[in-house]
């Protein structure tokens, strides 16, 4: 199995929080045996279990023996050398979690761990966020974006829809959603299953990668895996101090929209995003999936017309 990471606007948060997408071949009935080279690679990995600290996020992953964790350096090797991603797409990745008993060569889900230090994301819009509108906005610019992707040597990508609409757990301050993505020439749709945990200083992302035929399996796995992360004292969502702490400036709709380059763009505009997230945004913008390029281009033209008028 081969997985590919596609940077999206959600990567802007450090600015390196990619919305990772798996490109998986059709699932095999049984996992093929590893080659000697693969077995040597797997044996050389430092697989951490139990409680694993993520200092950059002020969080801990309570993995027990159900999962194992690969640190940032080994996660990069897997993403680039094993799963065939461009090196830039592994920037900002803090680690990789794999189910116990599976290897990075198996056809199974893996979770990419990143942290968005954008600040406190309010959940005041938990009951009012219009996620279907965000989806429609994202799909509307698909043609323009795919023309740019093909020109840049990337496969065209089509957002089929929500594989699971965004849902928010108020008790645990976690937001989960999943996208069904189709890449030209790939027979099996990609599943991008997002688990976001809100904290005082930002958002921890545990992005589960597989393919659409395994949606039910990933959804079930996420029920348990989504609970493994906790923020440490001083970094929890409840400890936010509006008088001293940085606020992200958007809510849950913005968090989902930032992943597709829509909601926050409407609020800040293209130039505002560059100022907010820094120069690396320009690099991410060049390879971003999910129709954000065309949408931003239209937005920028509207802003230019306004200034000239």
């Amino acid at each position: 199995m081969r997985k590919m990471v596609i940077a999206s606007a959600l990567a802007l948060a450090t600015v390196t929080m990619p919305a990772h997408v798996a490109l998986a071949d059709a699932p095999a009935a049984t996992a093929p045996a590893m080659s000697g080279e693969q077995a040597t690679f797997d044996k050389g990995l430092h697989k951490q279990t139990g409680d694993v600290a993520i200092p950059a996020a002020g969080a801990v992953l309570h993995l027990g023996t159900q999962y194992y964790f690969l640190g940032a350096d080994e996660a990069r090797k897997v993403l680039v050398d094993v799963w065939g991603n461009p090196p830039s797409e592994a920037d900002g990745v803090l680690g990789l979690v794999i189910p116990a008993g599976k290897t990075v060569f198996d056809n199974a889900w893996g979770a990419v761990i990143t942290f968005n230090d954008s600040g406190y994301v309010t959940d005041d819009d938990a009951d009012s966020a219009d996620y279907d509108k965000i989806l429609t906005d994202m799909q509307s610019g698909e043609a323009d974006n795919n023309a740019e992707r093909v020109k840049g040597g990337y496969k065209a990508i089509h957002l089929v829809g929500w594989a699971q609409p965004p849902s928010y757990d108020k008790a645990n301050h976690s937001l989960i959603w999943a996208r069904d993505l189709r890449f030209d020439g790939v027979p099996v749709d990609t599943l991008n299953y997002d688990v976001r945990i809100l904290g005082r200083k930002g958002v921890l992302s545990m992005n589960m990668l597989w393919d659409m035929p395994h949606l039910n399996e990933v959804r079930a796995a996420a029920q348990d895996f989504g609970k493994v992360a906790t923020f440490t004292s001083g970094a929890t969502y409840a400890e936010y101090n509006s008088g001293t702490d940085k606020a992200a400036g958007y809510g849950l709709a913005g968090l989902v929209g930032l992943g597709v380059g829509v909601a926050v763009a409407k609020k800040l505009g293209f130039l505002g995003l560059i100022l907010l997230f820094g120069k690396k945004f320009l690099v991410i913008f060049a390879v971003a999936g999910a129709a954000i390029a065309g949408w931003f281009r239209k937005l920028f033209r509207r802003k230019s017309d306004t200034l000239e008028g």
Side-chain angles (χ1 to χ4, degrees):
M1 178 185 69
R2 181 177 177 177
K3 296 184 175 129
M4 179 174 288
V5 175
I6 305 296
S8 84
L10 190 54
L12 306 175
T14 43
V15 185
T16 50
M17 191 179 179
H20 303 278
V21 176
L23 291 182
D25 295 330
T30 57
M34 289 190 293
S35 68
E37 184 178 0
Q38 290 172 335
T40 299
F41 182 93
D42 180 70
K43 187 176 181 180
L45 294 174
H46 298 83
K47 301 178 180 181
Q48 305 174 52
T49 57
D51 289 352
V52 177
I54 310 294
V60 176
L61 302 181
H62 306 283
L63 301 180
T65 57
Q66 289 181 277
Y67 319 94
Y68 64 88
F69 176 86
L70 302 177
D73 290 342
E74 291 185 333
R76 170 176 282 274
K77 289 181 181 178
V78 172
L79 291 171
V80 176
D81 299 336
V82 178
W83 292 352
N85 294 284
S88 62
E89 304 307 335
D91 290 349
V93 171
L94 302 177
L96 189 65
V97 175
I98 304 293
K102 299 293 184 179
T103 76
V104 297
F105 301 102
D106 289 333
N107 189 5
W109 66 266
V112 177
I113 309 300
T114 52
F115 180 68
N116 177 338
D117 65 353
S118 61
Y120 177 87
V121 175
T122 178
D123 62 0
D124 289 346
D125 63 342
D127 297 323
S128 61
D130 188 351
Y131 298 118
D132 288 338
K133 180 63 167 61
I134 293 174
L135 180 67
T136 300
D137 285 345
M138 178 169 60
Q139 291 171 322
S140 68
E142 195 172 87
D144 286 343
N145 180 60
N146 279 330
E148 294 297 324
R149 289 182 57 81
V150 172
K151 186 185 300 184
Y154 295 88
K155 290 179 180 294
I157 179 174
H158 310 281
L159 175 61
V160 178
W162 296 126
Q164 178 176 322
S167 60
Y168 182 62
D169 183 336
K170 292 183 179 181
N172 296 311
H173 307 295
S174 62
L175 181 65
I176 294 177
W177 73 92
R179 286 174 287 169
D180 178 352
L181 298 169
R182 182 171 298 153
F183 287 77
D184 284 354
V186 179
V188 179
D189 282 8
T190 289
L191 172 62
N192 185 1
Y193 202 98
D194 291 284
V195 179
R196 304 276 189 259
I197 314 296
L198 277 59
R200 177 180 180 178
K201 300 178 181 179
V203 180
L204 181 70
S205 170
M206 304 188 298
N207 196 258
M208 302 172 73
L209 318 176
W210 210 352
D211 54 25
M212 280 302 296
H214 291 92
L215 172 60
N216 289 337
E217 188 172 342
V218 176
R219 180 187 289 123
Q223 296 303 308
D224 291 326
F225 180 65
K227 300 174 183 176
V228 304
T230 59
F231 284 100
T232 57
S233 178
T236 67
Y237 194 74
E239 293 173 283
Y240 170 69
N241 185 327
S242 60
T244 61
D245 295 342
K246 179 174 70 173
Y250 50 86
L252 302 179
L255 183 59
V256 175
L258 186 56
V260 299
V262 175
V264 172
K266 287 184 175 180
K267 179 177 180 180
L268 299 174
F270 179 74
L271 295 178
L273 280 171
I274 296 176
L275 293 174
L276 180 61
F277 296 115
K279 295 180 180 178
K280 192 170 182 181
F281 171 74
L282 297 174
V283 178
I284 294 170
F285 174 69
V287 297
I292 62 175
W295 196 94
F296 279 140
R297 191 159 45 246
K298 294 174 185 175
L299 174 66
F300 187 67
R301 282 201 297 267
R302 289 199 299 269
K303 291 181 74 69
S304 297
D305 292 343
T306 301
L307 290 173
E308 291 172 0

